[in-house]
Amino acid sequence: MLDIFLRTCEFPEVHPERGDRFIVCDKTTLIKKCFISLIQSIRLSEYETKLWIVDDHSSPELLDYISKKCKNYNITYEIINCEESGFNYSALKQFELCRDKGSKWVYSVEDDYLHYPQAIQSMVAQAEAFTQKFGTNVAIRPDDDVFTYSPNTTYSKKPYRLFLGKDRHWRTLHNTHNTVFTHVDVFKEYWELFSSLAKFFRKTSVCEDGTINTIWSDGVTKNGPVPLFSPIPTLAIHISQNNEPTHLEYKKLWDSIDV
C-alpha cells in the first residue's frame, strides 16, 4: 500500500526572491500539469495507492479541478484543507499525515514536481527490492537533480555508490528536500527531525542539512541510518528557479500534458 501526500498552494510563490522558474507559467497551470503527471503515474502503477491532497487555501476552482480529475482517473483521494496559511503550517501537516495516516510506503511530494509515467511503479518496486537487499528501511529522492552535479557545490565532490535496479541505475546521495519517498516507520522513528524542519524552515537557520539530511546514508562518506537513492535517469523533475535539467527533453513531457 502506498499513501501519497501532495502539498498544494496556489498562492503565493514560496520563494519569490529566486525569480522565475525555468518553465515560466502561472502557478495554477504549474500545479495542474504536475498534478496530472502524478495521477497518470499512479494510474499506471500496479500498487494500491491513496492520494492525500494537503491544500493551503487554493481557489475553489483548483480544488474542484483536482477532485474531478481524481474521479476521472479513478484515483482514491482525500482533500485536507489546512486551517492556517503558510509554508510551515502546511509542511508540518503534510509530515504529520505521513506519520499518522501512512500504512506502509509514504511519498511526501510538493506541487511543482513533474513526474514521468513510470515514476510511481518504479519507486515502489525499487524500494521493496532495496529493502530486501539491505535489510533496512530505505528512502528515495525521485529527481536526479542537476544541482547534485554542479561544480560550484560540495555535493558534486562527494563520492557515491551506483546500483543497477529493476529498470534503471540508482545512485546514493545524502540530501533531500520535503519531497521524499520512504517507509512510514522512518517518519515515526525520526519524527523530531521532520517536525523541526517543518516548523522552523525559513524562520531560522534551520534547514534540511541539520534535520532530515542527518537521517540519510550515501554508503560512502555519510552514514545515517537510512540509505537514500535517486534514479538515473530521473523519475521526476523539480520545476524550480535554479536547476534546469538542460540534458533532458523535459519540455516534451510538459507539452504532452493537457490541462
Side-chain angles (χ1 to χ4, degrees):
M1 177 71 181
L2 168 64
D3 291 280
I4 299 176
F5 299 90
L6 170 66
R7 182 157 55 97
T8 54
C9 180
E10 194 172 9
F11 313 104
E13 283 284 1
V14 175
H15 301 290
E17 73 282 358
R18 296 181 182 177
D20 291 334
R21 300 171 188 266
F22 62 81
I23 292 181
V24 180
C25 66
D26 60 87
K27 185 67 184 295
T28 304
T29 299
L30 175 67
I31 293 175
K32 285 182 176 180
K33 289 222 174 198
C34 290
F35 170 74
I36 292 297
S37 75
L38 177 61
I39 62 173
Q40 286 178 342
S41 186
I42 294 172
R43 196 72 181 90
L44 291 172
S45 170
E46 65 185 31
Y47 295 97
E48 182 182 357
T49 301
K50 180 172 180 178
L51 176 61
W52 306 73
I53 297 94
V54 187
D55 184 70
D56 183 0
H57 297 82
S58 295
S59 66
E61 291 78 14
L62 178 61
L63 294 179
D64 183 60
Y65 177 88
I66 288 173
S67 182
K68 286 181 177 178
K69 290 299 182 182
C70 283
K71 292 174 183 177
N72 290 344
Y73 279 83
N74 197 28
I75 303 294
T76 301
Y77 76 102
E78 185 173 338
I79 296 177
I80 308 294
N81 295 300
C82 291
E83 295 179 5
E84 299 179 20
S85 295
F87 176 91
N88 300 95
Y89 183 90
S90 63
L92 183 61
K93 175 63 69 174
Q94 182 184 33
F95 287 163
E96 287 176 342
L97 289 165
C98 286
R99 179 194 64 187
D100 298 338
K101 297 296 185 180
S103 55
K104 183 181 179 182
W105 299 113
V106 293
Y107 182 30
S108 169
V109 60
E110 294 160 292
D111 60 10
D112 54 357
Y113 278 74
L114 189 69
H115 292 78
Y116 283 90
Q118 65 271 37
I120 298 302
Q121 173 69 26
S122 183
M123 283 195 290
V124 179
Q126 197 59 52
E128 291 183 340
F130 278 145
T131 298
Q132 183 176 11
K133 178 180 179 69
F134 295 106
T136 185
N137 287 322
V138 300
I140 290 174
R141 176 174 174 167
D143 60 318
D144 184 35
D145 189 1
V146 296
F147 190 69
T148 305
Y149 305 96
S150 172
N152 299 320
T153 70
T154 58
Y155 299 126
S156 65
K157 299 177 177 63
K158 293 184 179 295
Y160 59 90
R161 300 181 67 187
L162 190 66
F163 295 88
L164 179 61
K166 288 179 173 294
D167 67 344
R168 67 197 60 235
H169 285 88
W170 295 80
R171 60 159 289 169
T172 59
L173 72 167
H174 60 270
N175 63 297
T176 66
H177 302 301
N178 288 44
T179 293
V180 62
F181 178 108
T182 191
H183 196 280
V184 62
D185 287 349
V186 174
F187 275 91
K188 292 178 179 179
E189 187 169 355
Y190 305 103
W191 171 246
E192 291 304 319
L193 297 172
F194 287 99
S195 175
S196 294
L197 175 62
K199 288 178 180 178
F200 302 115
F201 182 71
R202 302 185 74 212
K203 290 183 177 181
T204 65
S205 59
V206 170
C207 65
E208 295 92 341
D209 281 346
T211 55
I212 62 173
N213 283 350
T214 64
I215 303 170
W216 318 129
S217 170
D218 61 17
V220 184
T221 60
K222 185 173 181 294
N223 292 299
V226 180
L228 175 66
F229 303 89
S230 69
I232 302 175
T234 192
L235 288 169
I237 298 170
H238 186 197
I239 304 176
S240 66
Q241 291 87 352
N242 55 6
N243 63 343
E244 181 179 8
T246 54
H247 64 296
L248 298 175
E249 294 183 346
Y250 66 86
K251 291 182 181 177
K252 183 181 295 185
L253 175 61
W254 174 264
D255 292 338
S256 72
I257 300 173
D258 295 323
V259 298

